[in-house]
Each structure stands twice: as C-alpha cells, then as structure tokens.
Amino acid sequence: MIGQPMTIALVSLLAMAQPGLAMNNYDNPRVILSYMDKSLDGPRDILRVTTAISAEGQLTFQIKTREGKYSPQDEDYMILEVQQQNSHHFLVPLNPALGEAVLAYTAEHPGEPEPHPAARALESGSALSLASIPAFSAKRIAKGFEFSVPLTWLDYGKGIVFDAYTARGQLLADTFVIEEVYDRAAKGDRERRLVSPIMLLNNLCATRPSRDPLGIP
C-alpha cells in the first residue's frame, strides 16, 4: 500500500506522460472485451469492462451489459473481481430495487498470482468469505455498473488482474455461495493478463479522460 500524498504525486506525474501509440484493444490492459451471448437475458450478458481514473482520483471499473426485457431476480449479482495477492470480489445486486450497496468478499491465495491465473475463474459452488474493505462504492449507469476503488488501496509492488461476472448466489451468514455463473467478461481469453498497477495507471493517465477507451459512447 502507499499513502495518499504519494498517490497524488504518482498520478500527477503519470498524467504528464505523453500518449503512447494506439494499441489493439484486445491487448489493452485497460480493457476487457467480451462477446455477446444471445442465450443470456440482456442484463446477465457482459459486453466489456473498461477502466479509468475519476475526477476524485479513484480507479473506476465500468462494466457494460446488454439491454433486455429480463427482470433480475433477487439472487442475481454483478461481481467485480480484483486480484493481487488475494482475490477480492465486490458484489452489487442486479435488481435495482435492492439498491447499490457493495458487498465485499475475499479468497486468500498463497503468494503472488500466477502470470495467467485463468484457473482461478469463479465457478458454480465457489464460496467467498466476507471481508472488511472500506471506501468502495458502486453506482448504476446506463446498461451496467461502475465500481470505484481508492488508489491508496492498490499494492503497487504486485501485479493486478481484474474481471467481472454475473451470477446467482445465496448469502449465508459471512459467506456468499455462487450457485450459477451466468457470464464472465474474460470468457474469450484463454489466459487472463497480469499487469503492473503502474503500467495500468500510466495507460489511463495517457488517455484523454473525456473519451471511452474504445471510442464508444
């Protein structure tokens, strides 16, 4: 972890970096491109995950889903997964009537994640343990969700992997049990990419904040 003053200085320095050459979005550490799955109802179908730095200096993960007439069930959730040494999962109900409160869970892993930790993708039957992780927030946006993560929470000495899921599950005391995974953002990737937080922030700060990383409104 790093302190707030150092974080602000780091972001300021990176913001002065010159934009790099255009890159294929499939190799872009800021973006996960998914693909449409017509077998799923719209809000359960993840189309992409993009990252940005907010005006408040937070790292944001924007998860876009497909439109549809499906009415979410109370047991359906959007899950943001952020892996560093541990796997952290941030859950928000798909049903708007249940609000935007973030439920935080963690799963411990021994040591640094593998360079391509595809085997750690969430599956039906996975059980997540309740964690005390403050200062996280989420909000509903058009066709999706946006999660905000404090930059001071990141461990800049370890690589980071992020992903998103839609799933059905049950809250059982201090555990969330996944009953069915509907969709996964990185389902088209054979291997999930482990990137440096510094590299990720450098890419974000070198991108005009007013533009979507894909050039899509």
Side-chain angles (χ1 to χ4, degrees):
M1 304 287 183
I2 61 177
Q4 184 71 24
M6 187 177 295
T7 301
I8 295 172
L10 174 64
V11 173
S12 299
L13 287 172
L14 291 176
M16 294 186 290
Q18 294 297 316
L21 297 175
M23 64 177 69
N24 183 328
N25 278 313
Y26 284 94
D27 298 321
N28 188 336
R30 297 171 288 150
V31 177
I32 299 175
L33 291 181
S34 194
Y35 55 79
M36 185 182 298
D37 186 344
K38 293 185 178 180
S39 68
L40 294 171
D41 293 311
R44 292 174 174 173
D45 187 13
I46 298 173
L47 299 180
R48 71 180 188 266
V49 182
T50 58
T51 53
I53 294 179
S54 72
E56 294 76 26
Q58 292 188 310
L59 176 62
T60 64
F61 297 86
Q62 189 179 94
I63 304 169
K64 286 286 190 175
T65 59
R66 185 164 52 84
E67 285 186 310
K69 298 180 180 179
Y70 152 75
S71 297
Q73 303 300 307
D74 290 354
E75 297 81 14
D76 291 349
Y77 287 82
M78 175 65 72
I79 304 175
L80 170 68
E81 179 183 50
V82 180
Q83 288 190 17
Q84 285 202 298
Q85 182 165 345
N86 297 328
S87 291
H88 304 281
H89 304 91
F90 306 98
L91 285 64
V92 173
L94 283 182
N95 187 348
L98 298 180
E100 300 176 356
V102 180
L103 300 173
Y105 294 83
T106 189
E108 293 186 359
H109 295 304
E112 178 81 3
E114 298 296 328
H116 304 291
R120 290 182 180 159
L122 290 181
E123 297 178 349
S124 299
S126 297
L128 309 176
S129 300
L130 189 65
S132 177
I133 304 175
F136 283 80
S137 62
K139 65 180 179 180
R140 297 178 192 276
I141 57 176
K143 295 182 290 186
F145 293 83
E146 184 174 278
F147 290 81
S148 296
V149 178
L151 289 175
T152 51
W153 177 79
L154 295 174
D155 187 336
Y156 289 84
K158 292 182 169 60
I160 186 172
V161 173
F162 61 93
D163 205 344
Y165 301 80
T166 51
R168 184 184 75 241
Q170 291 290 335
L171 296 169
L172 301 173
D174 292 339
T175 303
F176 183 82
V177 178
I178 294 176
E179 297 179 340
E180 181 181 357
V181 174
Y182 299 127
D183 198 19
R184 173 189 166 203
K187 59 181 177 287
D189 293 345
R190 293 184 179 180
E191 299 173 332
R192 289 197 287 180
R193 292 163 290 173
L194 183 71
V195 299
S196 160
I198 298 294
M199 175 184 175
L200 178 62
L201 291 179
N202 188 31
N203 274 273
L204 292 173
C205 290
T207 305
R208 294 180 182 179
S210 61
R211 296 188 58 187
D212 182 281
L214 304 181
I216 301 173

